Amino acid sequence: MWDLDDQNSLHVKAKKKLLAFVRDPQKVRLGRTAERDLSLTPVRKLGLLQAMGEFIACGAVLKADFMEQTGDEAFIFEYCHCEGIELYVKASFKGEGRNESLFVFSAHPTRRW
């Protein structure tokens, strides 16, 4: 796992792409786990996307990692604040070109142990 660094042009490009996608709800899909996670909170998709955009815009530390099963790069919003709840959000880009979307794998309250 690594932090996206604003001194790295590839990281800056990834953040801009993430912002563009979260600002267009039709380009974002919630997986079953994320839907289940959110069903246990008052947070809905539009609120989540707004919080993800604010997370990036305010300069919070966005992390990246590779998914174990697929090897795809995933972005981790470790302490994403939404409607008074701190969420752990994991998302990845899926598809290509016009069919590309941002797929949210999980969006559960941050675990504290």
Side-chain angles (χ1 to χ4, degrees):
M1 189 179 319
W2 62 94
D3 295 350
L4 270 67
D5 180 1
D6 286 342
Q7 302 303 312
N8 181 315
S9 63
L10 292 175
H11 293 183
V12 170
K13 185 177 177 181
K15 286 181 177 184
K16 286 181 181 179
K17 185 176 178 180
L18 283 165
L19 270 174
F21 274 76
V22 299
R23 290 178 176 156
D24 186 351
Q26 293 181 348
K27 291 186 175 185
V28 180
R29 297 178 320 165
L30 299 179
R32 277 186 278 176
T33 301
E35 286 177 348
R36 194 172 330 115
D37 291 344
L38 291 179
S39 73
L40 302 173
T41 73
V43 178
R44 297 296 163 252
K45 181 180 177 180
L46 293 178
L48 174 65
L49 298 181
Q50 181 179 352
M52 291 168 71
E54 290 170 1
F55 184 94
I56 296 168
C58 80
V61 177
L62 183 63
K63 296 180 182 284
D65 200 359
F66 292 109
M67 299 294 290
E68 285 182 27
Q69 296 171 342
T70 63
D72 293 340
E73 184 176 37
F75 301 95
I76 301 165
F77 299 72
E78 201 166 18
Y79 301 102
C80 189
H81 294 274
C82 186
E83 299 185 33
I85 300 170
E86 189 174 78
L87 298 173
Y88 177 95
V89 181
K90 186 182 260 188
S92 182
F93 291 109
K94 299 285 183 191
E96 294 182 21
R98 295 182 126 173
N99 295 323
E100 188 173 28
S101 63
L102 182 64
F103 185 83
V104 179
F105 291 96
S106 61
H108 56 77
T110 303
R111 295 183 179 111
R112 302 236 184 244
W113 49 65

